[in-house]
Amino acid sequence: MKKLLSGMLAAVFALSAISFAACSAENDDLSKNPDSTTPENPDSTTPENPNPQEPDKESDVTIGTPIEIPAEKEREIVQAWLAAYPHSDLDADDLSLDVRGVFGDTYVFYLCGPFGASTVITDILVGNILFEYPSSYTLDVYHGGTFYTLEMAFENGLLTRSDLLALQKNYNNGWNWSTSQIIKEDYVREHGGVDTEDLSLRVFYWWSMERSVLFVDGDADYPAVITEQEVDGVTFCYPSSQKLLYYGNHGNPDSMFCDLETAFARGRLDHDDLLAIQHNYENGIQIIVP
């Protein structure tokens, strides 16, 4: 049984009871991560510097705090939403905002009302920053009378990457889990000898809550010796004996981690995946996981 899935499903069911009332540059196009070719990546890690100080180290569990905005601004946003998305059976009294970020004239919020939401894990990757929700209930963005998704707001320059990083720290509106914490707990469960608070993650590829490629740092000191790894003709060159790990179901019910060779042999990675992982790793392109 997948350890990760069981933990996430428990969180989803808990939420449903409380939340719904309210080496080659020619491979640049191969990454499945939407913004992996973004040149500015201040949180990136290059192979020459594999263990930088991490300015955005994950907390064990992130519980966000709503932001108060003037009542007239909330009324403006609610009225604009009703005008943009008319519902004959709703009026302004049925709706409220759970605001999670204010960046100048840009407001990021959950719209609260008599809505339903499906209990499905929703991954939204913007600027290589992951927002992972335990349902289809996700953030909206308002600016100047128009509504945007996070992706659209970022693409239109209404949110910067720094804004997204700040928002990621405050977007949890009550669910009691952290993606990075679950990964670290699975690692400790399998390897022992270390506490989760001693671990940090460097994620270089992300598909979903059950599939990623990463380093888990803090468990051991790795000899500083050049190490090469070749998988299906794709070469990874590391500055130490530490190698990338695949995290997810790979055919072993007792494990969530394996090396890239095993993941490829068991069909969890294909050749294009390997090229995209190589590209991200060689260019220091990391996915910031909440």
Side-chain angles (χ1 to χ4, degrees), residues 91-246:
D91 59 36
D93 292 335
D94 297 318
L95 304 175
S96 62
L97 304 182
D98 178 350
V99 180
R100 294 291 158 163
V102 178
F103 308 97
D105 294 327
T106 300
Y107 296 80
V108 185
F109 59 92
Y110 295 100
L111 182 70
C112 305
F115 308 115
S118 55
T119 53
V120 57
I121 302 300
T122 303
D123 284 354
I124 297 177
L125 191 62
V126 187
N128 285 323
I129 299 165
L130 178 67
F131 295 84
E132 190 165 62
Y133 309 83
S135 77
S136 58
Y137 183 47
T138 61
L139 288 166
D140 288 308
V141 181
Y142 176 82
H143 178 91
T146 303
F147 294 91
Y148 303 83
T149 64
L150 282 182
E151 301 100 312
M152 292 169 58
F154 181 64
E155 291 170 1
N156 284 276
L158 302 177
L159 294 174
T160 67
R161 193 167 187 278
S162 294
D163 294 338
L164 292 172
L165 286 170
L167 185 62
Q168 190 195 52
K169 295 178 182 298
N170 194 43
Y171 82 111
N172 183 320
N173 77 331
W175 59 89
N176 193 32
W177 54 266
S178 158
T179 305
S180 57
Q181 180 68 10
I182 290 170
I183 295 173
K184 289 187 282 188
E185 287 174 355
D186 281 342
Y187 187 89
V188 170
R189 188 179 298 113
E190 291 182 29
H191 296 82
V194 66
D195 295 324
T196 56
E197 57 264 29
D198 297 325
L199 300 177
S200 59
L201 308 178
R202 289 179 288 144
V203 181
F204 286 93
Y205 208 50
W206 187 271
W207 293 265
S208 68
M209 71 172 192
E210 292 185 47
R211 297 182 66 204
S212 57
V213 173
L214 68 158
F215 290 108
V216 178
D217 297 319
D219 182 32
D221 293 325
Y222 296 93
V225 55
I226 300 299
T227 303
E228 287 194 356
Q229 177 185 38
E230 184 174 330
V231 186
D232 197 38
V234 181
T235 301
F236 298 86
C237 184
Y238 306 103
S240 75
S241 60
Q242 184 183 22
K243 298 179 182 179
L244 285 165
L245 296 173
Y246 174 85

